[in-house]
Amino acid sequence: MPERPDATFLLGVRGVTELVLVRHAKQALSDDFLRQPVGELRDPPLSELGVRQAKAVATALGPEPIAAVYASSSGRARETAAVIAADLNLEATVVDGIEEFGFFRQLPPDMAARDALGELRFEGFQRRWARSRSWDAWPGSEPASDFKGRVIDAVEGLVARHQGERVVVVAHGGVINAYVGDFLGTTDDMFFVPAHASITRVRARHDRRVLITLNEVQHLTGPDDLLTF
C-alpha cells in the first residue's frame, strides 16, 4: 500500500533527520537590564540557574541516541551546549550562522539603548515592535531578512549533514522562531517565546519539514522549578 503522506516523519523511518532545537539556558542579567550598556547585553554568561537548566536538558535527552551537539558562537549557547554534550559523552561543535539577531549593533556599546536612542524613540520602538513583531522595528540592528537568511541556511546545512540522525542545536529564541516560522509560513518574526533551555523538535526529510513539539518545558518543571523566560 502507498505510505501515508506523514509516514516518513514517524520515528524509526529511514532518512528522517530530527533537529532538537534548544534555547540557551538563563544568562546572568540584572532585572534592570534595559539600563545596562548595550555591549554588556550581547553575550552575558550563564547564571547558576542556567547551568542547572542545561543539566536538565541533558537528563531529558539522555535516553535518546544523539549524533552530534551544535552551538552558536555566543558564549551562553556554547556554555549550555558544553553541559549537555558532556553528559551525553559528546563534544559540542560551534557553527556560524545561528547567532541571535544582531540587536542594537550600530549603537555605542558603552551606552544603554535608552540613552543612545533618546527616551522618545526608545519608547516608540518598543511599541512598534510589540505591534509588528518584525525585527526591522529595532533601530541600529541587523536587517531582518539577513538574519533569517543566515539562520535558515545554517540549519538546513546541518540537516543535509545529518540525514537520518538526531542532532541537538543550541541556539537562541530568535533563531528558533526564524527557522520554524519559515516553514510554517508565519508573518511574525517572533511568533512564540521559547523558555530558557526549552526544546523544540523538527523532523526533516527531502523537502518536507514537520514541527513535532514546540517549547517543551516539562524537564524544567517540578519541585526544582527551573522554568524561566
Side-chain angles (χ1 to χ4, degrees):
M1 293 180 61
E3 62 181 17
R4 293 181 11 244
D6 290 336
T8 55
F9 296 93
L10 299 177
L11 283 175
V13 177
R14 292 182 179 179
V16 176
T17 300
E18 182 169 309
L19 296 170
V20 181
L21 306 173
V22 178
R23 186 189 176 196
H24 64 80
K26 182 175 177 57
Q27 63 272 57
L29 279 176
S30 72
D31 292 337
D32 197 20
F33 66 91
L34 285 178
R35 296 191 180 276
Q36 289 182 238
V38 169
E40 295 179 10
L41 297 177
R42 287 178 181 150
D43 198 16
L46 289 191
S47 64
E48 182 276 334
L49 174 59
V51 174
R52 292 164 58 202
Q53 290 172 332
K55 288 184 176 294
V57 175
T59 299
L61 298 178
E64 305 179 30
I66 305 292
V69 177
Y70 292 97
S72 90
S73 61
S74 300
R76 59 195 186 278
R78 288 187 283 108
E79 288 183 65
T80 303
V83 172
I84 296 170
D87 279 14
L88 299 176
N89 296 314
L90 295 169
E91 291 188 7
T93 301
V94 173
V95 292
D96 293 328
I98 57 172
E99 300 79 27
E100 184 58 291
F101 169 68
F103 63 91
F104 298 150
R105 65 184 185 181
Q106 296 174 18
L107 301 187
D110 59 344
M111 293 182 68
R114 186 185 296 271
D115 297 330
L117 295 171
E119 191 74 22
L120 185 68
R121 190 178 180 194
F122 183 83
E123 294 294 338
F125 119 75
Q126 289 187 297
R127 282 156 179 74
R128 181 185 172 200
W129 162 246
R131 187 180 71 252
S132 69
R133 293 297 177 185
S134 169
W135 289 122
D136 285 331
W138 287 63
S141 302
E142 179 179 15
S145 60
D146 292 354
F147 169 62
K148 290 183 283 189
R150 67 170 168 83
V151 166
I152 294 164
D153 286 349
V155 177
E156 286 299 318
L158 295 178
V159 172
R161 181 182 295 180
H162 289 281
Q163 294 183 40
E165 296 179 318
R166 179 183 290 109
V167 296
V168 175
V169 182
V170 181
H172 308 267
V175 169
I176 297 169
N177 271 267
Y179 183 69
V180 174
D182 178 66
F183 66 78
L184 290 183
T186 61
T187 57
D188 291 353
D189 289 344
M190 283 286 287
F191 71 94
F192 82 107
V193 180
H196 291 115
S198 61
I199 296 171
T200 293
R201 298 174 190 263
V202 175
R203 290 187 196 149
R205 186 171 186 265
H206 302 317
D207 62 347
R208 292 285 306 280
R209 304 291 177 266
V210 171
L211 179 64
I212 304 302
T213 66
L214 185 75
N215 211 20
E216 290 180 36
V217 297
Q218 61 267 31
H219 56 289
L220 303 169
T221 58
D224 289 339
D225 189 20
L226 302 177
L227 183 62
T228 62
F229 291 88

